[in-house]
Amino acid sequence: MNVIRINLTTGNVSKESLPPEIAHLGGRGLTAQLLNFEVPPQCDPLGPDNKLIFAPGLLTATKLVNTGRISIGGKSPLTGGIKESNAGGTMADSLAKLGVAALVLEGAMPQGEPVLIRLDSQGEIEIIPAPELSGRRTYGLVEELLGKYGPDNSVLCIGPAGEAILPISSIQISDTESRPCRAAARGGLGAVMGAKGVKAIVVEQAGKDQPPVVDAAAFTQAAKEFAKALTSHPFSGKALPALGTMALVGPVNSMGGFPSYNATKGTLEGWEEISGESFAKTMAARGGRNGHRGCSRCVIRCSNEFVDQEGEFVTASLEYETAWSLGGMTGVADMDIIAQADRLCDEIGLDTMSAGVAIAVAMDAGAAQFGDGPMVLALLEEIEQGTTLGKILGQGPAAVGRYYGHDRVPVVKNQSIAAYDPRALPGNGVTYATSPMGADHTSGSLVGLYMAGVLKTAQESQSHIDASLTAQIATAALDCTGLCLFALGASNTPEGSKALCQAISAKLGRDFGPEDLKSLGKEVLNLEKEFNAKAGLTPDQDRLPRFFYEEPLPPNNYVVKITDQEMRKALDF
Amino acid sequence: MKVSVKLYGALEDEVPGYDNQEGLLLDLPEGARVLDLLARLELPEGVCSIDSSGRVLRAQDKLSGDASLKIFRIMSGG
């Protein structure tokens, strides 16, 4: 497997073998390694010294199912620290089949002029001037690029928000049906790509080189066992195929942990209208789809296709976090508005979560009324248009709070929290506060433990802290493999854990057990913590906003009780 | 005692004759626990029962008279 480097300042392209000492690192681990040793931690994230790294997982494009995740890494213009943003779609598979362990963008186009990068089936690379693509929304852009290069290509691109270097901009990735609806959304890496002058990367899907596996027979057997564990697990085998992530709307609202109206309430009035169950019923009536396969080699099929009342496609895939940020936080319990807003974010290239929370903070500050769905759509359009308010919203929730002098801003290290209020799910709050990524649900979500009654809101702090640490370590390891986060449940079963470790053993040609998986997770977290420390992020920034301690969350009126001092020590291991 | 139950997360399909609008009204003996209710409905493992105050109940928890429960599949995140 190779590391391909494209220096945009000089136009040089180079290829080197992945050094053996880091051959066990893929995905998030590889981006953390390369960033930590190659990027000056105090550099301007939008300057030429930053690098943007695209890394499939260690097991991507092998026979192991659900390994189609790509890790995109760089120094974040939103948090000021290290960032790994992880997405599905088809790009990881296409790169891995070409033998690419990491594609590294270095430098920047001298005048910022937009270019297109093309990798063909032989792995040949071209940097193509593309001024005509400037300002284009993503759906039309991808359709045009596939018309030119053929349908059997994966596309990764930015929208107008990335070109405008907004720190809540995303990188959009084409799904199995060539729609740019899969997003590496968090941390503003779209702005890093925009600052480098790269509008899109097009990769031919025809690569034939399967990533090497040392013991093919053992790998095949392990892959079969893992697939069985995945499809027989109630979460990945039943709940997700039936309702997707939207299935979480019901339980989290019922627990009073769904941050709504800019986190002033724990339940959205009318949440039943946007629940997974309502979604499934409505899509069945309109001709939309649940149980859709959006990513390469996926057997879970958690994706969906939302259609309007006339049966016309609007967006894919509508996710729980988006229903929360653009619905719960803004007080809009209207599935059609949320779907339109999701499509707009994908078109403009925006993180739906940060965009929704930025709008919610503005609403809370009096700029608009909660529940005004058309206003949500109008404000997203303003971000694209670059009006004064649009520019402020595009800087993210913390900037909106500063502009309005409003201090109820649910962010950590400038990045918005996710759809689990830390007052009701304190362990998720520990993850928000302490993850090297800033507030991030994918770094260690504990909702399953709260739903199972294993964790209780009122338990002592250490239970939540221990659970968060365990989850953060497990997730960091999983993010190295290319496996989808939704495989985490199955990989924690005895059968799943054994099969996953056997697969990694067969891939690397050496024994690899559950303790090695933990060590891998710790290795990655240590790399990330080290980068952040050198970048100037200190443990003092591992804290939740004060209002989570001071404002009880209706209906159960919990507040966070885990102290700043406890948070600071949470990731000590 | 009467306990009302609503099912979510495609659990509706696991209970024959379940009515999505009305839910279920079950007659359980005094002192019945959550696990008794789940057994009565023959629900699979990996479900989460939440009462009307937002409290997640454990299998051994006793049910109160006139309890109203929502039952979901446990989700690991999303």
Side-chain angles (χ1 to χ4, degrees), chain A residues 235 238-240 242-245 247-248 250-251 254-255 271 277 281 320-321 420 441 445 447-448 450-454 456 486 556, chain B residues 7-10 12-14 20-21 45-58 61 70 72-78:
Chain A
F235 172 55
K238 290 277 189 187
L240 285 173
L243 301 178
T245 59
L248 278 156
S254 298
M255 289 193 284
W271 63 261
E277 292 76 13
K281 191 176 164 189
Y320 168 66
E321 295 295 341
Y420 311 95
H441 65 296
S445 179
V447 64
Y450 290 101
M451 287 187 74
V454 174
K456 297 274 190 186
F486 299 150
N556 296 319
Chain B
L7 302 175
Y8 298 83
E12 308 93 300
D13 305 335
E14 309 272 350
N20 274 316
Q21 295 299 320
E45 288 182 14
V47 300
C48 161
S49 307
I50 303 178
D51 70 14
S52 55
S53 69
R55 192 169 64 108
V56 176
L57 303 180
R58 292 180 178 173
D61 285 342
K70 295 187 179 85
F72 303 90
R73 286 186 199 274
I74 293 175
M75 302 283 289
S76 296

Side-chain angles (χ1 to χ4, degrees), chain A residues 324-349:
Chain A
W324 160 73
S325 58
L326 293 163
M329 286 293 273
T330 61
V332 176
D334 182 326
M335 204 181 292
D336 285 289
I337 291 284
I338 294 168
Q340 290 173 59
D342 179 60
R343 173 65 180 267
L344 263 179
C345 286
D346 287 352
E347 289 274 21
I348 299 167

Side-chain angles (χ1 to χ4, degrees), chain A residues 80-105:
Chain A
I82 197 165
K83 174 55 63 178
E84 185 258 8
S85 196
N86 184 300
T90 62
M91 182 57 83
D93 209 63
S94 297
L95 284 173
K97 282 198 290 188
L98 287 172
V100 178
L103 177 68
V104 184
L105 300 185

Side-chain angles (χ1 to χ4, degrees), chain A residues 6-55:
Chain A
I6 301 173
N7 189 308
L8 294 153
T9 305
T10 64
N12 286 341
V13 175
S14 64
K15 187 188 287 188
E16 69 213 46
S17 292
L18 190 65
E21 63 271 20
I22 57 170
H24 64 294
L25 294 176
R28 178 174 166 184
L30 189 53
T31 62
Q33 171 79 17
L34 296 175
L35 289 167
N36 210 29
F37 288 93
E38 297 184 11
V39 171
Q42 299 205 1
C43 74
D44 175 0
L46 301 174
D49 290 339
N50 197 6
K51 297 188 181 184
L52 189 61
I53 303 170
F54 305 90

Side-chain angles (χ1 to χ4, degrees), chain B residues 1-65:
Chain B
M1 63 182 178
K2 302 283 188 189
V3 176
S4 69
V5 174
K6 291 207 85 169
L7 302 175
Y8 298 83
L11 287 170
E12 308 93 300
D13 305 335
E14 309 272 350
V15 178
Y18 177 79
D19 183 324
N20 274 316
Q21 295 299 320
E22 299 298 322
L24 293 167
L25 189 63
L26 298 177
D27 200 355
L28 293 170
E30 289 296 328
R33 298 171 190 271
V34 172
L35 58 89
D36 299 320
L37 184 151
L38 299 180
R40 169 81 70 87
L41 296 176
E42 297 183 22
L43 287 174
E45 288 182 14
V47 300
C48 161
S49 307
I50 303 178
D51 70 14
S52 55
S53 69
R55 192 169 64 108
V56 176
L57 303 180
R58 292 180 178 173
Q60 293 294 337
D61 285 342
K62 278 188 180 175
L63 293 165
S64 59

